[in-house]
C-alpha cells in the first residue's frame, strides 16, 4: 500500500504566501498554493474567510469531498470567485454549491471521468467559465453538448465561447447525448476499477520485492565492513532509482502519487547522506601514549558584553560586568618638584605599565626668533571677499606736511 501521510496546509505556509497582504490572513482575498504537494486541506475557511481567488494547481488533491477533501474549506468560502485546481488527482466534481459567487472553475488535466458530476454545478448560477480540457471525460462523444445543456449559465467552455445557437442545439439533442454519455461513463468506470486492481497488485509485489531485497542486504552487511556496506547501499539505491524511471507506467492518480513518494524518498535519503558526511569526527582529548591534548575552540562574544573606559590616567576593560583589566598610565613630569611628588594610584588599578623613555630636545637650542611681528598688522576697514586697508593720514604738524591752498577748508 502507499505510504499514508499527507502534505497539509499550515498557518505558517499561508502567512508566507500572504506577503502582499502584510502576512495578514484573516483579510486575505487571494492566495497561491501551487506546487506544494498538498493532499489535504484544513482550516482554510476559518483562517481566510474573505478569499476570492485561490490557486491550487499542480498538487495531489484527489477529491472535492470526502475524508481527503477540499470542500471542508473551499466549499464554505461564500465570496470565492475563481478556483484553480488544474493538474491534480480529482476524478469527480462535487460539493462546490456553497461557493455562491463562483465565476470561474479550472479543472484542467485532472482525472474527471464521471461527466455527469457537472450537474452539481447547477446551483452555481454565477459560473461563467469552466475548464475541463485534459480530462478523460473530454474524449466522450457529445461531451461539449452535454456540458452546455447541463449548465445553461456557462458563457465559455475550455476557453471557447458558447454561442446562443450552440446552446439551443445542445438543449435539443440533450436526451440522446445524455444516454450516450452515461454509457461511455459506465465503461470508463469499469476500466478504472480494473486499473486500480492491477496497480494495487503491482504495488504489493514491489513491496514484497523490497522486503526480500532488504533482507538480502542485511545478510551481506553482516559479512562485510562498514565502508563496503555504504558503497553497496549507494549502488543499490542508484539501481532502484534507474529502474523506477525506466519502468513504463500509465498516467493515473496512483502513478502520480507513486512518483511524488519516490521523489520524496530520494530527497530524504540524499539529505540524510549529506548530513552524515557533514558530521564532525569524534574529538580526541587523550592520545594513545596517554598525553593530554589542549583543545582550544574559537568562541564569539557579543559586543554588548564589553565595556571599555579610556581615561587620561587609566584604561578599564569590563567583560560580562566583571573587571578583567585596568591599566594606569604614569603622568609625564614637567619639573623636579612635580616628578618628586608621588601620584596617588587609582583605587581600581590592578596593573601598572611604566612609560617608555623618550629623547628630549634641549629647549635652549630652540629657535628664539619671533616671526609673528615681522609684518605690521593693518586695521581692516571692511569685511568681505576683499579687505580694504585704511591708509594712514599724515598729521598737520608733521615736518613733511604741505598745505595746498587750492583745497577749501573743512566746514565745521
Amino acid at each position: 500500500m502507499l505510504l499514508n501521510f499527507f502534505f497539509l496546509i499550515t498557518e505558517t505556509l499561508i502567512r508566507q504566501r500572504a506577503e502582499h497582504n502584510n502576512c495578514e490572513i484573516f483579510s486575505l482575498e487571494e492566495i497561491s498554493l501551487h506546487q506544494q504537494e498538498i493532499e489535504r486541506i484544513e482550516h482554510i475557511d476559518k483562517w481566510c474567510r474573505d478569499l476570492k481567488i485561490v490557486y491550487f494547481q499542480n498538487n495531489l488533491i484527489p477529491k472535492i469531498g470526502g475524508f481527503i477533501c477540499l470542500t471542508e474549506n473551499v466549499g464554505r468560502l461564500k465570496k470565492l470567485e475563481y478556483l484553480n485546481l488544474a493538474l491534480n488527482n480529482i476524478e469527480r466534481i462535487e460539493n462546490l454549491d456553497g461557493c455562491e459567487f463562483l465565476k470561474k472553475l479550472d479543472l484542467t488535466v485532472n482525472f474527471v471521468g464521471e461527466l455527469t458530476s457537472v450537474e452539481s454545478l447547477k446551483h452555481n448560477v454565477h459560473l461563467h467559465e469552466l475548464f475541463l480540457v485534459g480530462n478523460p471525460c473530454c474524449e466522450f462523444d457529445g461531451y461539449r453538448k452535454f456540458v452546455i445543456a447541463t449548465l445553461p449559465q456557462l458563457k465559455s467552455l475550455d476557453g471557447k465561447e458558447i454561442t446562443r445557437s450552440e446552446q439551443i442545439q445542445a438543449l435539443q439533442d440533450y436526451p440522446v447525448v445524455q444516454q450516450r454519455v452515461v454509457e461511455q461513463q459506465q465503461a470508463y468506470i469499469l476500466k478504472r476499477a480494473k486499473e486500480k486492481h492491477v496497480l494495487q497488485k503491482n504495488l504489493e509485489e514491489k513491496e514484497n520485492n523490497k522486503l526480500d531485497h532488504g533482507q538480502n542486504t542485511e545478510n551481506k552487511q553482516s559479512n562485510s565492513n562498514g565502508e563496503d556496506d555504504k558503497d553497496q547501499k549507494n549502488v543499490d539505491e542508484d539501481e532502484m532509482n534507474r529502474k523506477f524511471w525506466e519502468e513504463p507506467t500509465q498516467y493515473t492518480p496512483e502513478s502520480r502519487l507513486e512518483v511524488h513518494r519516490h521523489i520524496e524518498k530520494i530527497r530524504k535519503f540524499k539529505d540524510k547522506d549529506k548530513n552524515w558526511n557533514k558530521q564532525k569526527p569524534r574529538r580526541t582529548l587523550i592520545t594513545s601514549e596517554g598525553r593530554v591534548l589542549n583543545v582550544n575552540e574559537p568562541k564569539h562574544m557579543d559586543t554588548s558584553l564589553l565595556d571599555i573606559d579610556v581615561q587620561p590616567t587609566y584604561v578599564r576593560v569590563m567583560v560580562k560586568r566583571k573587571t578583567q583589566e585596568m591599566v594606569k598610565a604614569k603622568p609625564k613630569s614637567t619639573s623636579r618638584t612635580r616628578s618628586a611628588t608621588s601620584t596617588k594610584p587609582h583605587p581600581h588599578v590592578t596593573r601598572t605599565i611604566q612609560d617608555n623613555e623618550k629623547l628630549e630636545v634641549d629647549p635652549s637650542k630652540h629657535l628664539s626668533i619671533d616671526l609673528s611681528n615681522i609684518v605690521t598688522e593693518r586695521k581692516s576697514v571692511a569685511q568681505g571677499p576683499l579687505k580694504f586697508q585704511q591708509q594712514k593720514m599724515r598729521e598737520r604738524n608733521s615736518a613733511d606736511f604741505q598745505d595746498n591752498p587750492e583745497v577749501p577748508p573743512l566746514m565745521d
Side-chain angles (χ1 to χ4, degrees):
M1 297 179 64
L2 290 174
L3 296 176
N4 189 18
F5 64 90
F6 308 97
F7 292 89
L8 308 179
I9 288 184
T10 61
E11 183 178 352
T12 303
L13 177 61
I14 294 180
R15 291 190 184 277
Q16 289 176 353
R17 295 304 180 96
E19 295 179 354
H20 59 284
N21 199 44
N22 296 326
C23 297
E24 297 179 1
I25 62 177
F26 186 77
S27 60
L28 193 63
E29 295 185 355
E30 179 179 349
I31 190 169
S32 179
L33 297 171
H34 60 283
Q35 296 181 355
Q36 296 295 319
E37 299 183 359
I38 298 171
E39 299 181 41
R40 184 175 178 178
I41 306 172
E42 294 179 335
H43 312 302
I44 193 173
D45 59 324
K46 299 177 182 178
W47 295 338
C48 315
R49 297 181 178 181
D50 296 335
L51 279 175
K52 295 182 179 180
I53 301 175
V54 180
Y55 296 95
F56 281 130
Q57 65 268 27
N58 200 2
N59 283 293
L60 301 171
I61 301 171
K63 294 182 180 180
I64 316 179
F67 176 70
I68 305 176
C69 67
L70 183 67
T71 190
E72 293 177 356
N73 304 274
V74 176
R76 299 177 183 177
L77 297 175
K78 304 294 183 181
K79 300 180 181 180
L80 187 64
E81 298 180 2
Y82 175 36
L83 176 60
N84 192 327
L85 288 168
L87 289 168
N88 277 280
N89 292 348
I90 298 172
E91 299 188 59
R92 179 180 174 82
I93 306 173
E94 56 187 349
N95 297 320
L96 286 175
D97 51 349
C99 303
E100 300 175 359
F101 294 95
L102 186 63
K103 297 180 180 179
K104 183 178 179 180
L105 177 61
D106 193 346
L107 293 171
T108 303
V109 191
N110 274 272
F111 299 92
V112 178
E114 299 184 29
L115 186 56
T116 56
S117 63
V118 298
E119 296 177 355
S120 63
L121 299 175
K122 285 183 177 181
H123 302 286
N124 302 97
V125 294
H126 299 285
L127 183 63
H128 294 161
E129 295 182 67
L130 177 63
F131 291 86
L132 290 172
V133 62
N135 286 272
C137 62
C138 296
E139 300 177 1
F140 294 174
D141 186 17
Y143 148 75
R144 185 174 176 86
K145 287 185 177 181
F146 179 83
V147 176
I148 293 174
T150 305
L151 304 175
Q153 72 270 29
L154 285 182
K155 295 182 180 180
S156 174
L157 177 60
D158 296 335
K160 185 178 180 181
E161 183 181 0
I162 300 174
T163 61
R164 179 61 179 167
S165 59
E166 188 179 12
Q167 192 173 23
I168 295 174
Q169 187 66 37
L171 290 173
Q172 291 177 355
D173 299 340
Y174 181 73
V176 179
V177 171
Q178 182 185 22
Q179 183 179 0
R180 194 185 311 164
V181 166
V182 170
E183 293 175 355
Q184 297 175 85
Q185 179 176 290
Q186 291 178 352
Y188 173 79
I189 292 175
L190 293 175
K191 178 183 176 182
R192 275 290 296 149
K194 292 180 180 180
E195 286 181 356
K196 290 181 181 179
H197 179 72
V198 173
L199 290 171
Q200 186 67 26
K201 187 176 180 180
N202 294 338
L203 186 60
E204 291 177 357
E205 291 179 357
K206 289 181 180 179
E207 292 293 334
N208 294 332
N209 293 335
K210 287 181 180 179
L211 292 176
D212 296 339
H213 178 74
Q215 187 174 2
N216 294 333
T217 303
E218 290 179 359
N219 295 334
K220 291 180 180 179
Q221 289 178 355
S222 60
N223 301 325
S224 59
N225 54 25
E227 192 67 25
D228 295 339
D229 293 343
K230 187 176 180 180
D231 296 339
Q232 184 64 30
K233 186 177 181 180
N234 293 335
V235 172
D236 294 340
E237 291 290 340
D238 294 340
E239 183 66 19
M240 291 175 61
N241 189 30
R242 184 185 62 81
K243 289 182 179 180
F244 178 84
W245 293 112
E246 291 181 355
E247 181 182 1
T249 183
Q250 296 180 351
Y251 184 71
T252 61
E254 293 78 14
S255 63
R256 289 191 76 227
L257 280 173
E258 188 178 4
V259 168
H260 282 277
R261 297 286 190 272
H262 181 76
I263 294 174
E264 183 67 15
K265 181 180 178 181
I266 295 298
R267 184 184 65 82
K268 289 183 178 180
F269 175 77
K270 289 183 178 179
D271 292 343
K272 183 178 179 181
D273 187 58
K274 187 184 299 183
N275 295 333
W276 176 266
N277 294 333
K278 287 183 178 180
Q279 289 182 357
K280 295 182 179 180
R282 187 173 181 180
R283 187 172 57 180
T284 303
L285 300 179
I286 302 176
T287 62
S288 57
E289 295 82 6
R291 184 169 57 90
V292 179
L293 299 178
N294 184 14
V295 180
N296 295 326
E297 295 183 353
K299 296 182 179 180
H300 302 278
M301 180 181 294
D302 191 356
T303 55
S304 62
L305 301 176
L306 294 175
D307 185 12
I308 302 176
D309 184 13
V310 180
Q311 298 296 335
T313 57
Y314 68 93
V315 177
R316 179 173 55 193
V317 180
M318 300 183 67
V319 181
K320 297 183 179 180
R321 298 182 180 180
K322 294 182 180 180
T323 304
Q324 300 292 333
E325 180 181 7
M326 288 182 289
V327 181
K328 179 174 179 289
K330 191 175 182 180
K332 185 184 298 184
S333 59
T334 55
S335 63
R336 291 183 179 180
T337 305
R338 186 173 181 180
S339 60
T341 305
S342 60
T343 306
K344 188 177 181 180
H346 195 275
H348 298 288
V349 173
T350 59
R351 185 166 58 91
T352 305
I353 298 179
Q354 296 180 355
D355 292 341
N356 296 329
E357 296 182 358
K358 299 181 181 179
L359 296 178
E360 298 291 342
V361 181
D362 187 2
S364 61
K365 296 182 180 180
H366 289 178
L367 185 62
S368 59
I369 301 176
D370 188 6
L371 302 179
S372 60
N373 297 325
I374 294 179
V375 181
T376 57
E377 183 180 359
R378 295 183 179 181
K379 186 177 181 181
S380 59
V381 179
Q383 300 291 334
L386 297 177
K387 295 184 180 181
F388 299 95
Q389 304 294 333
Q390 184 179 8
Q391 295 181 357
K392 188 175 182 180
M393 300 299 294
R394 297 178 180 177
E395 297 180 2
R396 181 179 295 271
N397 298 327
S398 62
D400 57 347
F401 178 78
Q402 295 180 2
D403 190 9
N404 190 352
E406 296 181 0
V407 178
L410 296 178
M411 298 297 295
D412 294 335

